[in-house]
Amino acid sequence: LASLGLEPRVLATGKALGVAAALGVLLVPALALGALVIAVWPDGASGHAHASADGVARPVAMALVYVAYFVVFVGLVLTVSAWASSSRAALVALLGFWVATALVAPRAASDAAALLAPIPSQTRVAADIRRGIAEGLPGAPRKQRVDTISAKLLAARGFAGAEMFMPAALLSSIELQAEALFESEVIDHHHRRLSAAIERQEQLAQAASVVSP
């Protein structure tokens, strides 16, 4: 077409419109259906379908992001087509780019995230919990923390400073309750650390969505 005297700008615009039309036939119905489903999905609390502001904003934002993504890639396709010496060279270059972004990038991002933000194994977490229950958490030794919890329980029951006058069975039950609460604190502490490690790794892996949504 260029050899027939067609201006490059007109040729590029035509190609862009052709690619956009082909993508639009596939994407517009899918985005519209997805937006409708999200907007009218029943609310978990009430069980009624409603088009809340958040339910509308989320699919709209997602649609805008994907539109921007495809605009960038349409521009990339046209640029490669213009620079390549032949249609075969353009096809090979674009196929290599697709393999890199769709197949290599997600796996590489996952491996890099696992290396940069490792998640402790189940065995490691269990060992840390056992050690924490036996010794205490950093800055809060077991005995000190159990005594603190016991004092709070005694104060809540109106026995602060009157341990000597309490029935032995009641005092023993409060001490057991304090130990149980301390153990729950240790377990919650390590579970929060595990959740934070998982979140950090997921955030690093999701960074690859910039090139491979």
Side-chain angles (χ1 to χ4, degrees):
L1 294 177
S3 62
L4 298 178
L6 190 63
E7 294 184 5
R9 183 174 60 182
V10 176
L11 179 59
T13 302
K15 286 186 175 181
L17 291 176
V19 174
L23 290 174
V25 170
L26 297 175
L27 297 179
V28 170
L31 288 174
L33 180 60
L36 179 63
V37 170
I38 295 175
V40 301
W41 193 260
D43 180 67
S46 64
H48 300 293
H50 63 89
S52 63
D54 182 65
V56 174
R58 288 170 57 192
V60 169
M62 181 184 69
L64 292 177
V65 169
Y66 271 94
V67 167
Y69 170 75
F70 283 112
V71 166
V72 171
F73 273 78
V74 168
L76 175 65
V77 169
L78 295 179
T79 301
V80 172
S81 298
W83 286 354
S85 59
S86 64
S87 59
R88 179 178 300 177
L91 178 61
V92 171
L94 291 172
L95 182 59
F97 181 79
W98 176 81
V99 170
T101 57
L103 302 180
V104 177
R107 181 61 185 178
S110 177
D111 292 342
L115 181 63
L116 296 174
I119 297 175
S121 65
Q122 183 177 359
T123 303
R124 172 67 181 276
V125 173
D128 289 343
I129 291 176
R130 288 195 298 269
R131 184 170 58 254
I133 291 175
E135 302 175 2
L137 297 173
R142 174 186 172 88
K143 186 178 186 309
Q144 176 183 340
R145 185 57 186 154
V146 171
D147 290 344
T148 300
I149 297 174
S150 296
K152 290 181 179 179
L153 293 175
L154 289 170
R157 288 166 172 75
F159 290 110
E163 293 87 343
M164 295 181 59
F165 304 101
M166 291 178 60
L170 179 58
L171 183 59
S172 177
S173 67
I174 290 178
E175 291 175 349
L176 290 175
Q177 185 179 357
E179 291 181 354
L181 291 174
F182 167 74
E183 292 177 359
S184 296
E185 285 186 356
V186 172
I187 294 172
D188 290 342
H189 170 77
H190 288 288
H191 282 177
R192 285 194 299 270
R193 290 184 59 188
L194 177 61
S195 298
I198 294 174
E199 184 177 359
R200 285 195 301 271
Q201 187 177 108
E202 289 179 346
Q203 289 175 348
L204 289 175
Q206 289 174 356
S209 64
V210 175
V211 296
S212 181

